[in-house]
């Protein structure tokens, strides 16, 4: 127990490479794509040839030879380290493919922003990162690139293992630094025991703590930016159609393969605007999700969530608006953040069955209103109580979590309590006490236990 608990984490910092460094990085991004595609072609042809599976060590040996070859000698002008990382990444992609967790790795095309990145492992024998050179700036010294300036937003703790430099569509550079042995932050004591959380599209989270219901929303700025994005996208498609007509093509049909469309100044400007806006939307969304997940985990000892299959929802046959809203709030990310932050803070997360009718069930009388569509407000057909859809769901989720806790504790007393079950039972006990205290203050709003 004397060993203090540590964890892994990643830091994401904006970085400001110089013009020379940007040129080197540009070549590295392109060369990484080249190496990925070369290695993928080698693996594919070796497998189709004599069924051999090349691993990254043999590919690394071949790559050394490739660097010596006269036509690919330009690779020696760049640092070797990021290419080893590319080969390792591909090894992992193939492991995932063979384990049926992923599709067959694909070739990388030029101009795909999400893949514009290079990773360097950091040497543990020397400090490559100047963590706090100044209050505002940190620096990382990378082979072949030089000393890259990083905007310091928080202290970098622990052992720094690797740094990934990336460029987004708006031309901004970021460094993502992986660290381990980061000491655990101390979380404040939670204000309540159990909260039920309804994660949704309209509001990020509607939270019931038994006495109150409150809502954690995504910022208005995000919504405004999305409206503006749609406007720019309409403009872009108008400009694209005009360009196609100017080249004698039918704008209602997709552009035929091999035809290069001219790029007007206005079209280029719209494209740049859209890229910048996407960057800003990403920032706002990331910030909102972190704020909400931190607030939720800080609030309660036990968090009850619905086990929604977010992937299936995003893929499923819903309307486009629904899918976009889904992507917007990135509920999957939010749930992932809640889980790992709960783990850091020593909180318990209970996930209730996704088929539990949290929205359709009337919290007051328990009637399941099967005819409930997408209405925001509804009146219970049995008892007539008026419900806010999400508030009602949050209360039901909390009640179901409490029921499961109570079931676990009675199971524990039946079998003789194990330490885990005892912990759960204690938590349920505390919950009951807290809820009763709340009930004395606000008698009308607490029926979960009764
Ligand atoms: Zn009712």
């Amino acid at each position: 127990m004397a060993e203090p608990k540590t964890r892994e984490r990643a830091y994401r910092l904006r970085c400001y490479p110089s013009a020379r460094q940007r040129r080197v990085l540009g070549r590295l991004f392109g060369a990484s794509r080249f190496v990925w595609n070369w290695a993928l072609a080698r693996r594919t042809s070796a497998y189709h040839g004599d069924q051999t599976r090349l691993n990254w060590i043999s590919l690394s040996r071949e790559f050394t030879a490739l660097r010596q070859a006269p036509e690919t000698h330009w690779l020696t002008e760049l640092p070797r380290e990021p290419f080893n990382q590319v080969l390792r990444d591909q090894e992992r992609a193939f492991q995932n493919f063979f384990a049926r967790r992923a599709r067959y790795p694909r070739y990388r095309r030029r101009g795909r922003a999400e893949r514009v990145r290079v990773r360097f492992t950091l040497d543990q024998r020397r400090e490559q990162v100047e963590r706090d050179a100044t209050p505002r700036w940190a620096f990382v010294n990378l082979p072949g690139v030089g000393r890259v300036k990083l905007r310091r937003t928080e202290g970098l703790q622990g052992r720094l293992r690797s740094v990934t430099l990336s460029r987004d569509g708006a031309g901004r550079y970021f460094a993502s630094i992986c660290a381990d042995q980061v000491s655990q932050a101390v979380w404040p004591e939670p204000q309540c025991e159990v909260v039920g959380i309804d994660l949704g599209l309209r509001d990020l989270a509607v939270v019931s703590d038994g006495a109150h219901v409150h809502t954690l929303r995504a910022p208005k700025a995000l919504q405004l930016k999305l409206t503006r994005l749609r406007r720019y996208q309409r403009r872009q498609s108008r400009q694209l159609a005009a360009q196609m007509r100017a080249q004698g093509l039918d704008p209602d049909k997709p552009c035929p393969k091999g035809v290069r469309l001219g790029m007007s100044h206005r079209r280029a400007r719209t494209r740049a605007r859209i890229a910048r806006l996407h960057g800003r939307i990403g920032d706002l969304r990331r910030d909102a999700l972190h704020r909400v997940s931190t607030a939720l985990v800080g609030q309660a000892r036990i968090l009850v969530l619905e086990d929604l299959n977010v992937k299936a929802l995003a893929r499923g046959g819903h309307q486009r608006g629904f899918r976009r809203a889904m992507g917007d709030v990135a509920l999957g990310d939010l749930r992932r953040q809640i889980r790992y932050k709960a783990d850091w803070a020593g909180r318990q997360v209970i996930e209730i069955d996704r088929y539990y009718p949290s929205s359709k069930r009337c919290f007051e009388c328990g009637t399941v209103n099967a005819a409930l569509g997408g209405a925001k407000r509804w009146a219970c057909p049995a008892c007539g109580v008026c419900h806010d859809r999400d508030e009602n769901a949050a209360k039901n989720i909390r009640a179901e979590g409490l029921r499961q806790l109570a079931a676990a504790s009675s199971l524990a007393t039946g079998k003789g309590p194990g330490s885990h079950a005892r912990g759960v039972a204690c938590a349920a006990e505390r919950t009951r006490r807290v809820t009763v205290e709340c009930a004395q203050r606000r008698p009308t709003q607490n029926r979960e236990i009764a």
Side-chain angles (χ1 to χ4, degrees), residues 362-367 378 380-385 387:
C362 168
F363 177 69
E364 299 298 327
C365 70
T367 309
W378 59 284
C380 174
C383 70
V385 172
H387 290 296

Side-chain angles (χ1 to χ4, degrees), residues 209-228:
D209 64 5
H212 303 90
V213 177
H214 64 273
T215 304
L216 299 166
R217 284 196 180 82
K220 267 268 154 55
L222 184 56
Q223 204 53 53
L224 289 175
K225 293 272 189 289
L226 287 169
T227 312
R228 194 180 303 166

Side-chain angles (χ1 to χ4, degrees), residues 92-104 311:
R92 189 161 322 122
F94 269 93
Q95 280 165 1
N96 286 337
F97 167 70
F98 289 129
R100 294 170 185 277
R101 283 189 297 264
R103 296 170 52 169
Y104 193 79
K311 237 185 195 166

Side-chain angles (χ1 to χ4, degrees), residues 220-434:
K220 267 268 154 55
L222 184 56
Q223 204 53 53
L224 289 175
K225 293 272 189 289
L226 287 169
T227 312
R228 194 180 303 166
L229 179 65
R230 277 195 281 284
R231 195 167 71 226
Y232 285 162
Q233 282 170 337
R234 278 196 299 273
R235 183 182 300 171
Q236 189 182 41
S237 69
R238 248 187 346 257
Q239 287 168 341
L240 183 71
Q243 184 67 47
M244 287 178 80
R245 271 193 296 273
Q247 291 183 223
L249 300 164
D250 181 0
D252 294 328
K253 290 187 187 136
C255 186
K257 253 192 167 160
V259 175
R260 289 204 93 153
L261 286 175
M263 177 63 78
S264 73
H265 286 298
R266 287 179 186 216
R267 199 154 78 87
R269 194 160 64 202
T270 308
R271 196 160 78 164
R273 278 194 180 141
I274 288 176
R276 275 201 301 276
L277 202 52
H278 270 302
R280 187 74 189 116
I281 286 169
D283 292 346
L284 285 166
R285 180 185 297 156
R286 229 181 333 268
D287 182 55
L289 293 181
H290 276 295
R291 276 170 199 272
V292 166
S293 56
T294 301
L296 288 172
V297 171
Q299 193 162 63
R301 213 176 291 284
I302 300 171
L303 304 136
V304 189
L305 301 174
E306 244 176 335
D307 165 32
L308 274 179
N309 190 343
V310 173
K311 237 185 195 166
L313 275 176
R315 208 189 305 118
H318 298 277
Q319 299 122 335
R320 236 179 68 217
F322 181 78
R323 277 208 307 274
R324 187 172 50 220
M326 200 60 166
D328 283 345
V329 295
L331 290 186
D333 265 356
L334 186 54
R335 303 165 60 74
R336 192 179 51 79
Q337 288 178 8
I338 291 172
R339 272 190 231 109
Y340 78 72
K341 287 181 187 177
D343 191 39
W344 292 350
R347 312 287 203 246
Q348 189 185 352
V349 175
I350 299 176
E351 305 203 39
I352 65 170
D353 190 352
R354 84 185 65 146
Y355 298 111
Y356 176 76
S358 60
S359 297
K360 291 178 177 168
R361 188 174 179 276
C362 168
F363 177 69
E364 299 298 327
C365 70
T367 309
V368 175
N369 181 2
L372 180 67
K376 173 82 181 135
R377 301 197 70 85
W378 59 284
C380 174
C383 70
V385 172
C386 230
H387 290 296
D388 175 285
R389 182 196 185 85
D390 300 332
E391 287 187 11
N392 179 60
K395 288 183 199 164
N396 278 326
I397 289 167
R398 181 171 185 272
E400 176 63 16
L402 286 173
R403 196 192 60 74
Q404 289 189 7
L405 279 173
S409 75
S410 69
L411 205 70
T413 44
K415 280 186 182 169
S419 67
H420 171 72
R422 207 160 50 226
V424 172
C426 285
E429 209 39 61
R430 277 199 303 270
T431 308
R432 203 162 289 141
R433 206 171 55 239
V434 170

Side-chain angles (χ1 to χ4, degrees), residues 16-286:
Y16 295 88
S18 67
R20 192 194 65 79
Q21 290 169 343
R22 284 200 297 275
R23 271 197 304 279
V24 175
L25 287 172
R27 293 186 69 190
L28 270 176
F29 294 145
S32 300
R33 194 179 62 239
F34 171 83
V35 171
W36 173 277
N37 289 342
W38 164 80
L40 184 53
R42 280 293 300 127
R43 279 177 195 265
T44 308
S45 67
Y47 186 72
H48 287 308
D50 50 0
Q51 307 276 302
T52 46
R53 288 184 183 182
L54 294 176
N55 62 8
W56 86 271
I57 296 167
S58 64
L59 277 168
S60 179
R61 240 175 257 130
E62 281 188 40
F63 180 66
T64 306
L66 185 77
R67 266 158 67 101
Q68 304 308 322
E71 63 270 26
T72 44
H73 200 65
W74 54 274
L75 284 167
T76 49
E77 294 163 22
L78 295 164
R80 164 83 197 228
E81 169 60 18
F83 303 129
N84 293 341
Q85 298 297 323
V86 170
L87 296 179
R88 277 198 203 113
D89 286 349
Q90 195 172 84
E91 182 90 351
R92 189 161 322 122
F94 269 93
Q95 280 165 1
N96 286 337
F97 167 70
F98 289 129
R100 294 170 185 277
R101 283 189 297 264
R103 296 170 52 169
Y104 193 79
R106 275 181 287 188
Y107 288 99
R108 288 182 180 170
R109 275 167 40 188
R110 198 168 169 273
R112 287 288 166 95
E114 72 267 26
R115 276 289 160 204
V116 182
R117 59 184 55 179
V118 282
R119 191 168 75 236
F120 293 83
T121 44
L122 294 173
D123 190 343
Q124 296 307 312
R125 287 160 300 181
R126 63 201 174 99
E127 275 292 316
Q128 275 174 275
V129 181
E130 300 163 42
R131 296 177 193 231
D132 28 34
T134 74
R136 257 178 91 79
W137 303 104
F139 294 90
V140 57
N141 292 289
L142 297 172
V145 183
R147 189 166 177 256
V148 184
K149 193 160 134 180
L150 310 171
R151 180 73 175 85
R152 218 173 80 90
T153 46
E154 60 182 316
L156 300 171
Q157 292 179 12
R159 198 163 58 146
L160 308 180
R161 305 308 304 263
S162 72
V163 55
T164 305
L165 294 180
S166 61
R167 187 179 64 203
D168 74 1
R172 303 179 304 175
Y173 289 81
F174 293 93
S176 170
I177 301 177
C178 289
D180 60 9
Q181 299 181 2
V182 179
S183 57
Q184 292 272 29
V186 180
W187 288 67
E189 275 296 295
Q191 297 127 5
C192 56
E193 283 299 319
V194 183
V195 290
I197 304 164
D198 180 47
L199 299 175
L201 305 178
R202 259 178 297 238
D203 310 310
L204 281 180
V206 179
V207 188
S208 163
D209 64 5
H212 303 90
V213 177
H214 64 273
T215 304
L216 299 166
R217 284 196 180 82
K220 267 268 154 55
L222 184 56
Q223 204 53 53
L224 289 175
K225 293 272 189 289
L226 287 169
T227 312
R228 194 180 303 166
L229 179 65
R230 277 195 281 284
R231 195 167 71 226
Y232 285 162
Q233 282 170 337
R234 278 196 299 273
R235 183 182 300 171
Q236 189 182 41
S237 69
R238 248 187 346 257
Q239 287 168 341
L240 183 71
Q243 184 67 47
M244 287 178 80
R245 271 193 296 273
Q247 291 183 223
L249 300 164
D250 181 0
D252 294 328
K253 290 187 187 136
C255 186
K257 253 192 167 160
V259 175
R260 289 204 93 153
L261 286 175
M263 177 63 78
S264 73
H265 286 298
R266 287 179 186 216
R267 199 154 78 87
R269 194 160 64 202
T270 308
R271 196 160 78 164
R273 278 194 180 141
I274 288 176
R276 275 201 301 276
L277 202 52
H278 270 302
R280 187 74 189 116
I281 286 169
D283 292 346
L284 285 166
R285 180 185 297 156
R286 229 181 333 268

